[in-house]
């Protein structure tokens, strides 16, 4: 919550095709580097529902039929936004209202750790025909990321 952008989310890497060249590497490499630094983003509360909606709308606004259009939402907790934000029911209603079968955007959720809300993550993913994964133990993370990336292309 309350990121430097003033919102509950903060863009970290611009949206690009995974194979797009970024300086001397690919977008996939850039994202892998960010994944390795995810722990530095952990700072307390989680504005999960506001962030999920913002990411979905962002992907929908830049929809490209030549590419997989998806959101991979990674969280270490539950929605506990101290400023309120939208509820799970409001999020699901918004996702249903904005869903466009001609411009499908799937949300793939990844919960990391024992403090996630698997039911909420499954509901968010399900509302967009996405998939949901939870890595409770640190050793589960690699397999969960692999499965989530495979689900993006399905």
């Amino acid at each position: 919550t309350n990121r430097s952008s003033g919102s509950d989310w903060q863009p970290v890497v611009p949206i690009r095709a995974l194979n797009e060249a970024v300086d001397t590497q690919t977008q996939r490499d850039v994202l892998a580097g960010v994944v390795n630094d995810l722990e530095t983003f952990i700072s307390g509360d989680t504005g999960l529902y506001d962030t999920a909606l913002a990411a979905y709308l962002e992907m929908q606004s830049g929809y490209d039929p030549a590419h997989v259009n998806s959101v991979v939402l990674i969280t270490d907790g539950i929605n506990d936004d101290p400023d309120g934000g939208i509820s799970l029911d409001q999020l699901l209603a918004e996702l249903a209202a904005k869903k466009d079968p001609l411009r499908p955007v799937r949300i793939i959720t990844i919960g990391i750790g024992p403090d996630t809300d698997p039911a909420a993550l499954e509901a968010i993913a399900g509302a967009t025909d996405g998939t949901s994964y939870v890595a409770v133990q640190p050793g589960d993370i690699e397999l969960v990321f692999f499965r989530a990336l495979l689900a993006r292309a399905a």
Side-chain angles (χ1 to χ4, degrees), residues 9 11 18 26 32 34 48 50-51 80 90 98 106 128 146 153:
W9 62 92
L18 289 176
T26 65
V34 170
L48 182 62
D50 290 330
T51 301
D80 59 353
Q90 290 171 316
K98 302 291 185 187
R106 281 187 235 134
T128 64
F146 178 72

Side-chain angles (χ1 to χ4, degrees), residues 29-42:
D29 297 327
V30 172
L31 290 171
V34 170
V35 167
N36 291 331
D37 294 333
L38 283 177
E39 192 170 310
T40 64
F41 290 92
I42 298 171

Side-chain angles (χ1 to χ4, degrees), residues 48-49 78-79 88 91-92 109 117-126 132:
L48 182 62
Y49 304 154
I78 60 171
N79 186 73
L88 179 58
L91 170 60
L92 298 176
T109 62
D117 183 350
L121 296 178
E122 288 175 17
I124 294 166
S132 184

